[in-house]
Amino acid sequence: MLELASLGAGVLHSRSVELGMNYDVVIHVRSSFNENQGTLVMSEDKIMEKLKVSGVTAKSDQARITIAEVPDKPGLAAGLFGELNSKHILVDMIVQSSPHNGINTISFTIPKKDVLQAKPILQGFSKAHNARDPEINESITIVSAVGVGMKSHVGVAAKMFQALADNGINIEMISTSEIKISCVIPEDQAKIAINKIHDVFGLST
């Protein structure tokens, strides 16, 4: 649930889930519009382990930044992200290519609202290190599949990627952890991507 909250599920504030997890507090989520029992959020159990994917989220408030032909030298990435941090710009996904002929490509995502503030930093970095001008794409969505069961099931990523490929959805970036897989895709294909990922993991009912 913490992963779902932090990835933009819009159900609970991620801090409330984090506190509940740290102090083993059961969180009772109810609607203010009816008398339904609601949902209890509590510690993971073996039932959750059986679910490969328990939820799918989408974040459309991000922009993808790509800087190509970055020299493959120690400290350059640290300097770039250190400058962004000094301006309180939150970096989400980060992907760096393997070096080729002494250069590589760095791609990452930041909130759209911070793009204007980030531009001078990005342009200064590119100029200082003779890299390509930064490419900024604000028409993206980060789609994530989340599930504790990923720790004990194989083939989850392949299944998700195939669902996107079958519907002509190109993956621009990929990031994974033990219990989530996130993909950057074109914003205008987000809705169909979410629906198809729900379908392939049996979450549509």
Side-chain angles (χ1 to χ4, degrees):
M1 182 60 78
L2 178 58
E3 288 284 347
L4 287 170
S6 64
L7 290 169
V11 179
L12 293 171
H13 193 285
S14 57
R15 181 59 175 159
S16 67
V17 180
E18 183 180 7
L19 289 171
M21 180 178 66
N22 289 342
Y23 297 100
D24 197 24
V25 176
V26 176
I27 300 173
H28 193 177
V29 183
R30 299 189 64 177
S31 172
S32 58
F33 298 103
N34 56 53
E35 297 297 324
N36 294 344
Q37 185 175 358
T39 302
L40 293 176
V41 181
M42 59 187 70
S43 300
E44 298 162 358
D45 56 25
K46 292 183 179 180
I47 295 176
M48 289 301 295
E49 289 284 352
K50 295 179 182 178
L51 295 174
K52 293 181 182 180
V53 173
S54 55
V56 181
T57 67
K59 292 172 67 175
S60 296
D61 62 345
Q62 300 286 298
R64 176 176 59 81
I65 312 297
T66 298
I67 304 177
E69 297 185 11
V70 177
D72 183 35
K73 296 179 180 179
L76 296 193
L80 172 60
F81 294 118
E83 284 196 66
L84 293 171
N85 177 65
S86 70
K87 299 297 183 181
H88 306 289
I89 297 174
L90 182 65
V91 177
D92 192 349
M93 296 174 63
I94 303 174
V95 175
Q96 179 173 299
S97 66
S98 298
H100 179 68
N101 293 331
I103 59 174
N104 56 43
T105 298
I106 299 176
S107 293
F108 54 94
T109 61
I110 63 173
K112 288 180 183 178
K113 64 181 179 63
D114 293 328
V115 167
L116 191 61
Q117 188 178 20
K119 277 185 178 180
I121 296 173
L122 303 173
Q123 292 166 346
F125 176 86
S126 292
K127 185 175 181 180
H129 301 292
N130 295 316
R132 297 280 293 273
D133 290 338
E135 296 179 10
I136 302 173
N137 183 355
E138 298 186 49
S139 299
I140 63 147
T141 293
I142 301 176
V143 176
S144 301
V146 182
V148 177
M150 289 185 190
K151 295 186 290 186
S152 54
H153 290 82
V154 298
V156 177
K159 203 169 184 179
M160 177 178 176
F161 299 160
Q162 190 62 56
L164 297 176
D166 288 345
N167 290 276
I169 300 172
N170 186 49
I171 300 173
E172 300 179 13
M173 290 174 64
I174 299 170
S175 175
T176 65
S177 74
E178 194 175 34
I179 62 171
K180 74 169 181 175
I181 302 168
S182 297
C183 298
V184 171
I185 64 171
E187 187 175 26
D188 60 0
Q189 295 180 302
K191 186 174 182 179
I192 188 171
I194 294 169
N195 290 338
K196 295 305 179 181
I197 296 171
H198 270 96
D199 289 345
V200 79
F201 290 110
L203 301 175
S204 299
T205 56

